[in-house]
Amino acid sequence: MTDFSTIYKLSLVAVACFVQACSSSSSCPVVDCWFVQEKAGRGGGLTAPTTQEKSLLFIGTEAHSESPKTQQAPPDISPDRVYFVTDPDATLCHRSLNPPKGSIKKPQCEINPFQPQISSLKWAAPLTESALSPIYLQADWISTAIQGLNKQLGVSSIMRAPTGSKEHDVVLSVTTKTVSVQSRLGEPVLLDCGFWTDPTSPLYGSGFAVEWRYQFRGDGRLVLAYDGKADRLADTQEEGATLDFDSLHEKGNASLILQEAQVRHSGTYICTVYLPYLLAQVAVELEIVEPPSLSIHPSPLPLSVPGQILTVQCDASGFAPLSLELSWEFKDTDGKSRPLGSGSVTGHRQAWDGTFSQSSRLELDTSKLDLGRGGEVTCVAVHPGGTRRASVTLNVIGFSTPSIEDSMAMVGVALVLYGLIKFVSWTFTGSGSDEANKKDKKEK
Ligand SMILES: *[C@@H]1O[C@H](CO)[C@@H](O)[C@H](O)[C@H]1NC(C)=O
């Protein structure tokens, strides 16, 4: 009887856990956000002053699915800054936007007011050639930019609510799953960008445009611009950058393909998707990381005698970015390693392809450094792309501090030599006296 009730209780617990797991895995997050807007009544100036207000986004995939109004907002958030968002595509329900309860790390989120506008850009202007129902545009529009945990996802959305309502529908979402990309030199690179448009929106199916821009330290250029309505690419200076146009039209895949990574490609890429009157953009960081190639000169090292000063040089070349630590190590014949410092490191040079080179010169004083009979001299280069090593063998002859075995061998050699000399001189003088004796006898 007791057994039965235990099993019954356990199964109840199991069912409860199952239900909870199901509901929590399918639920969309509530995202902490900042609502940022320019201060009213203060025009002009490059950086307009802004205000920040704490804000909250309740996200669901169906309208009114969780009767959001029953959900309590914390008292430090104004009810005006609580938004109930419907995202049928569930882009905003990605797990990187839904950290475990109590987690310190949270997604970053910003909300801005948004104003639908006509674009004058050559590739986006055709989208608004045919006039559109102004009633649809007269609404409360906001844009959100959210970055998921561990740079798994970046998503920007444009949302619309009927005027006065706080229930917003996602109309356009632009996402990237490669917020930060690293690539070796010469490899093809994919910078992910995709977009989704609400099929029930009157803006759906009336064309789109895609633009990729490059930015690095205030420098910017247009990489690629595509008018999806007229199927036309704008003229740009950039070579080796393209889109997969089939995938773009079928799935909204606006990923940029760079055929061959070069150092000058390092920087920020901004993917902007235009719909009529709307635009949303995400940023992708690309870093080209190439570890150095090392060479040591002279190689092999000349034989050296104690007291001699040898100069060894290590050349690191073909690396990027410019972040390198050169040092030296010595490994004696017993396999024991010790550092020899960094030597004197030269300034860097930049090659035509943007990669860097740098050298270190080491003065090896064979008497001071206690190098014994020699060993292995290694140049170590530590770089974000990996650690590289190059070695040469050092041979010191006539070493100054002989080991015990050496001393014993020397004593042995001395003894043998002594014996040999003794023997030779004995046979020599011995036979000499014999002959002298014979001569003596003959003369007698
Ligand atoms: C987008 O297109 C690129 C290039 O064809 C492809 O490698 C990538 O997997 C596509 N992404 C998605 C999400 O389909």
Side-chain angles (χ1 to χ4, degrees):
M1 197 61 201
T2 47
D3 276 359
F4 177 77
S5 74
T6 318
I7 290 168
Y8 175 72
K9 272 182 204 161
L10 276 176
S11 53
L12 256 190
V13 168
V15 166
C17 289
F18 180 72
V19 166
Q20 212 163 36
C22 272
S23 66
S24 73
S25 69
S26 69
S27 78
C28 296
V30 179
V31 183
D32 288 321
C33 244
W34 289 102
F35 183 87
V36 180
Q37 68 179 337
E38 285 178 19
K39 266 190 186 134
R42 294 269 308 266
L46 277 178
T47 51
T50 56
T51 58
Q52 285 199 5
E53 291 168 79
K54 268 194 166 183
S55 162
L56 213 53
L57 285 181
F58 286 94
I59 293 158
T61 52
E62 288 165 41
H64 320 297
S65 60
E66 282 178 37
S67 59
K69 281 168 204 93
T70 63
Q71 280 165 324
Q72 285 284 310
D76 62 334
I77 295 179
S78 146
D80 279 354
R81 293 291 163 244
V82 179
Y83 297 88
F84 301 97
V85 173
T86 305
D87 180 17
D89 189 45
T91 312
L92 299 174
C93 304
H94 190 269
R95 67 192 135 67
S96 74
L97 305 185
N98 206 353
K101 274 216 171 71
S103 153
I104 300 164
K105 282 200 281 181
K106 294 211 163 140
Q108 291 169 30
C109 174
E110 184 176 318
I111 307 174
N112 302 104
F114 183 84
Q115 191 60 54
Q117 265 169 15
I118 289 179
S119 173
S120 58
L121 288 168
K122 211 166 67 185
W123 43 92
L127 297 174
T128 40
E129 269 165 8
S130 52
L132 196 106
S133 149
I135 294 158
Y136 180 74
L137 296 178
Q138 281 164 17
D140 277 343
W141 292 86
I142 55 170
S143 73
T144 62
I146 314 181
Q147 203 173 88
L149 298 178
N150 307 318
K151 301 193 171 179
Q152 287 180 61
L153 183 77
V155 47
S156 287
S157 307
I158 303 296
M159 304 175 183
R160 177 189 181 277
T163 306
S165 150
K166 283 282 171 266
E167 284 168 39
H168 282 76
D169 293 321
V170 176
V171 177
L172 169 67
S173 270
V174 179
T175 54
T176 178
K177 296 197 164 89
T178 58
V179 173
S180 171
V181 182
Q182 274 200 359
S183 168
R184 295 279 301 261
L185 265 187
E187 288 181 351
V189 181
L190 184 80
L191 305 179
D192 181 73
C193 178
F195 70 97
W196 177 86
T197 312
D198 177 9
T200 65
S201 161
L203 300 179
Y204 181 83
S206 34
F208 65 88
V210 174
E211 172 197 292
W212 276 95
R213 251 177 198 290
Y214 168 86
Q215 260 167 7
F216 183 67
R217 296 194 184 141
D219 221 13
R221 66 170 185 267
L222 182 69
V223 175
L224 186 145
Y226 176 68
D227 172 353
K229 199 175 177 187
D231 187 22
R232 197 183 296 136
L233 264 176
D235 287 333
T236 57
Q237 299 300 309
E238 196 80 16
E239 277 175 23
T242 184
L243 305 175
D244 180 340
F245 295 102
D246 292 336
S247 191
L248 174 61
H249 282 276
E250 280 164 26
K251 296 190 283 181
N253 179 351
S255 303
L256 183 70
I257 303 157
L258 298 175
Q259 270 145 19
E260 207 179 304
Q262 291 167 23
V263 176
R264 66 181 184 87
H265 288 143
S266 282
T268 306
Y269 290 77
I270 294 160
C271 171
T272 309
V273 174
Y274 297 86
L275 293 188
Y277 307 97
L278 309 183
L279 69 90
Q281 52 189 203
V282 288
V284 179
E285 210 69 50
L286 172 64
E287 190 179 24
I288 307 303
V289 179
E290 184 69 19
S293 311
L294 294 188
S295 63
I296 290 193
H297 307 284
S299 182
L301 288 174
L303 287 179
S304 55
V305 292
Q308 190 181 352
I309 293 175
L310 274 180
T311 305
V312 202
Q313 180 164 326
C314 175
D315 296 322
S317 60
F319 62 91
L322 180 59
S323 163
L324 188 72
E325 262 177 60
L326 286 172
S327 63
W328 295 87
E329 271 172 15
F330 175 72
K331 188 154 96 184
D332 64 22
T333 43
D334 298 334
K336 255 193 270 167
S337 272
R338 62 196 165 90
L340 293 178
S342 59
S344 50
V345 178
T346 64
H348 64 269
R349 292 174 304 279
Q350 192 165 21
W352 61 272
D353 65 353
T355 61
F356 297 97
S357 58
Q358 203 165 20
S359 305
S360 170
R361 196 183 268 265
L362 180 71
E363 306 248 295
L364 269 175
D365 186 335
T366 47
S367 61
K368 274 192 202 145
L369 287 168
D370 186 22
L371 301 175
R373 277 178 289 181
E376 210 174 53
V377 177
T378 304
C379 168
V380 184
V382 178
H383 186 266
T387 299
R388 295 289 183 271
R389 293 163 174 273
S391 302
V392 275
T393 307
L394 173 71
N395 278 307
V396 183
I397 47 170
F399 38 87
S400 50
T401 49
S403 64
I404 293 172
E405 300 99 84
D406 291 337
S407 318
M408 281 170 61
M410 269 196 279
V411 170
V413 167
L415 281 174
V416 169
L417 268 180
Y418 176 76
L420 207 64
I421 290 165
K422 244 334 207 211
F423 177 75
V424 168
S425 74
W426 177 78
T427 43
F428 206 64
T429 52
S431 70
S433 63
D434 273 3
E435 264 166 39
N437 284 347
K438 277 177 194 169
K439 269 181 192 171
D440 281 355
K441 278 174 190 170
K442 273 178 190 172
E443 276 169 12
K444 275 175 190 172

